[in-house]
Amino acid sequence: MLDLKKKLQEMQTHLGLNPVGIRQRMTILALEDDHLAQLSGHAAEIEELHLACAEALHQHFCHLPELTLDSEYPGLFARLPYQRLRYCQQLLQGPYDMQHVRMRVLSNLGQERGRLASKSCLAAYHFYLQYMHAGLSERWSERPEIAQRLYGCLLRAVFFDMGLAVDTHAAASQMALDDSDARYARTVLCANDGLWEWQVDNDRMQVSERWLSILELDAVTAPRTLDDWLSRMPPSHRHAFNDVVQRHLAGDEQQVHLECQLRKRDGELVWVLIRGLVCVDAHGQRLLTGSQTDISQRKAAERELAHSSLHDPLTGLPNRQSMNELLLQASQRQSRPGARHAAVLFIDLDRFKLINDSLGHHAGDLVLIQVANRIEHCLRPGDHLCRFGGDEFVVLLDDMAAVSDAELVARHIMDALHQPIVVINRRLTLSASIGVAALNGHDGEQDALREADLALDLAKASGKAQMALYSDVLQQDAHHRLEMESALNDALRRDQFEIHYQPIVEIAATRSRVVGVEALLRWRRGDRLVPPDEFISVLEETGAIVEVGEWVLREACRQVLHWHAHGHQELRCSVNLSSRQLQQSGFAEVVARVLRETGFPATSLVLEITESLLMQEGPETLATLRELESSGVRIALDDFGTGFSSLGYLHRYPLHIIKIDKSFITKATGDERLKAIVRAIIGLGRGLCMDIIAEGIETPEQMEFLHAEGCQFVQGYWFGRPQPAAVVKPLLDSMLDPDFDRHGAAPALLH
Ligand code: C2E
Ligand code: MG
Ligand code: MG
């Protein structure tokens, strides 16, 4: 209601409907108050005619099928005769003042809302005038001058009214148009999208304010032609855009839809999404119109996502996936004639786990970041470095004069990484092992990676902090290893393993005696007896060592128990353990079960572990070792001196025996420094109340030296090589012999 009142006021102002305006309208039509007075004077007769006219008009409209108003506005048609009657009364009554005019405008506005089209409105006026003309002539057939005069008055009044109706309709449409224009303008102003319009046939461009602001342009620098617009795109985008526009104009593309870059005023590129559709305007001209959206934020987010899927979050280096892609490209380049050399370096930090375990992962992360920086400093601009995972990095060296240049870079990297690193106030010295392989166009890129990895294995195996080059020999080794893996797979089931025993002797001035044996595993492969150094690592890698190790333990316990029963009750049994066995949860329980099942006394069992095993392990290992110790089992630290020989281990872990590695003993007699080390180890063991066993005694001189230094226990070829149980038995028995002498009979018997 409020809306209609407001509209009426607006309309009144728009049409100038004030007393002066009304008077003007009357003057133009030569409509005087007297004319209205004459009509009022014959109101009764005219009203009679009005009634009949309204009814006739109603009938007339009812028979026009194209007027579907009744279905759209039910009841409207039924009301029409009465509305018309009232209208006729108003028409004749006058006075034509503000009140009258307002009523008329309101009625016309109502019709506007009711969508009574002006054509039916005019038709109704026509019908009315024709009807009234005939009616008046008939009524005053005797007095035609009255009929004529009254019709003249009626004609003026009706035209006055028609003028109001036509002006109201026109003004209402104009106001609606203004309103929608204003709304459209507001939408354009608020829209985030820039709008554009291109008159295809005469190449004229128009763009909105927002369009300009995306590119920081103004009315002066705004594009005027399509070329102006295209000139802001990089060439490849320009072609793509032009192409999609032409295809759309040719009807091959449903719409213009393209993401491309545009140059801003300052030259910076911005990503936009351009959409458009062609239409034909009122003049038959083709008009391509559309929007342009700034999508730079979305593009940035997409870029970030793509970057993070291809990069390592810690170091920001390309990750394994992007290295694969880089390798593929490099290997394709290699297959082209005249290509320079390329190579892959596989870098692995030595003992990185130790840093993580001892200083925490945060420190480990900081180390990795510094390592990445250092490696990067050793590379040239065209080279690529990626973090392959953990402490592994891969370098792709491209465009080299010779493959041997890769070795130089590898050494350079090793030197750079060897410089001390300071992390959280700790000074650390790192070392890295590197495998190097050439990248050939004919091999796949994955081959080079695999070859570099193989070379890395070799570098690690030859004592870490080493570099190794891939060669065919390496590949043969790998084949050989694979073969061995599958052969080892069912060696246990096929009974191919056997145990050899090597005596451990207590030396004394007067009389030496065998106090124990070390169980050493052998693999009978066809005619060959394979030594453990060749296959233990394979068993460890495949995990089979767990099962095989338990078999060794059980067999050794059984065998030594048998010897216990045959005169050697005191004999100890030493069994070597692999780290995989200790990592097994409930390993102490496995040992307890074997002891239970075989009946072997725990106190006669010695389990040998290596320093490297302790280095890798954490609190669980300590707990397992403690559990074993509490059951009476003794623990020996094997190969002492070859690993890190951290005295901390001796203190932290429950260890009862130190075994000095044979490498010290072999050379000790002629080397004063080695002698000093052996002496120190013996002193250390004694101080910690640990037994010392020296391994690898091969000569009487070595024996003398160790005896003189107070080493109680020895093991070595001088006393006996590892032999099958049946061969060892006579040796054990002979050592029971009171005539047995460490300087004479025993070695002769064994060699
Ligand atoms: P290890 O535990 O240090 O064993 C001693 C190694 O020194 C044995 O080599 C033995 O034959 C050798 N040896 C003893 N006396 C002398 C000597 O006077 N001169 C020289 N040159 N060598 C001597 P073997 O039997 O080849 O075993 C090598 C390694 O394999 C062992 O070193 C041990 O670490 C591992 N191993 C052997 N059996 C097993 C097993 O059942 N389980 C596990 N996990 N490892 C085993
Ligand atoms: Mg051993
Ligand atoms: Mg050893």
Side-chain angles (χ1 to χ4, degrees), residues 518 520 576 608 638 659 695:
E518 179 173 3
L520 294 158
N576 292 286
E608 297 193 3
D638 206 352
K659 294 186 83 174
E695 292 183 296

Side-chain angles (χ1 to χ4, degrees), residues 168-321:
T168 309
H169 281 247
S173 315
Q174 185 58 49
M175 279 160 66
L177 203 63
D178 290 350
D179 192 34
S180 96
D181 278 357
R183 246 180 297 150
Y184 177 70
R186 271 201 307 277
T187 313
V188 169
L189 211 65
C190 298
N192 188 39
D193 294 355
L195 301 181
W196 55 271
E197 183 179 284
W198 178 48
Q199 295 168 16
V200 182
D201 301 308
N202 57 359
D203 190 17
R204 285 269 128 236
M205 274 222 66
Q206 274 189 319
V207 295
S208 69
E209 287 282 328
R210 172 72 188 134
W211 194 102
L212 291 171
S213 78
I214 291 174
L215 302 182
E216 292 167 0
L217 300 178
D218 53 28
V220 180
T221 47
R224 313 250 171 256
T225 64
L226 187 68
D227 269 350
D228 286 352
W229 190 8
L230 291 175
S231 68
R232 299 210 154 265
M233 298 175 187
S236 61
H237 292 194
R238 188 181 310 157
H239 294 140
F241 180 63
N242 211 7
D243 185 53
V244 73
V245 166
Q246 295 312 327
R247 278 189 291 122
H248 176 54
L249 292 178
D252 296 335
E253 198 74 58
Q254 273 205 334
Q255 54 170 317
V256 173
H257 188 285
L258 185 86
E259 289 179 1
C260 67
Q261 284 182 302
L262 284 176
R263 215 173 294 286
K264 293 211 261 185
R265 184 185 211 139
D266 59 4
E268 192 196 328
L269 286 170
V270 58
W271 273 101
V272 293
L273 165 65
I274 300 177
R275 282 182 283 209
L277 268 181
V278 72
C279 65
V280 176
D281 70 5
H283 310 290
Q285 300 288 307
R286 284 178 305 166
L287 203 61
L288 186 56
T289 52
S291 61
Q292 176 170 289
T293 318
D294 182 348
I295 54 166
S296 27
Q297 275 183 359
R298 167 162 70 79
K299 281 283 177 188
E302 280 174 6
R303 263 202 311 278
E304 214 166 282
L305 211 67
H307 184 271
S308 61
S309 72
L310 290 174
H311 288 79
D312 163 46
L314 178 69
T315 57
L317 291 175
N319 60 13
R320 179 189 288 234
Q321 198 187 334

Side-chain angles (χ1 to χ4, degrees), residues 79 112 124 202 239 257 287 336 361 376 461 504 521 530 551 560 630 722:
R79 290 197 307 272
E112 180 64 25
N202 57 359
H239 294 140
H257 188 285
L287 203 61
R336 287 188 207 131
H361 285 265
E376 242 173 353
I504 297 172
L521 185 61
V530 188
W551 177 84
V560 178
S630 65

Side-chain angles (χ1 to χ4, degrees), residues 8 159 174 276 285 347 558 746:
L8 180 62
F159 269 81
Q174 185 58 49
Q285 300 288 307
I347 306 169
R558 257 193 215 132

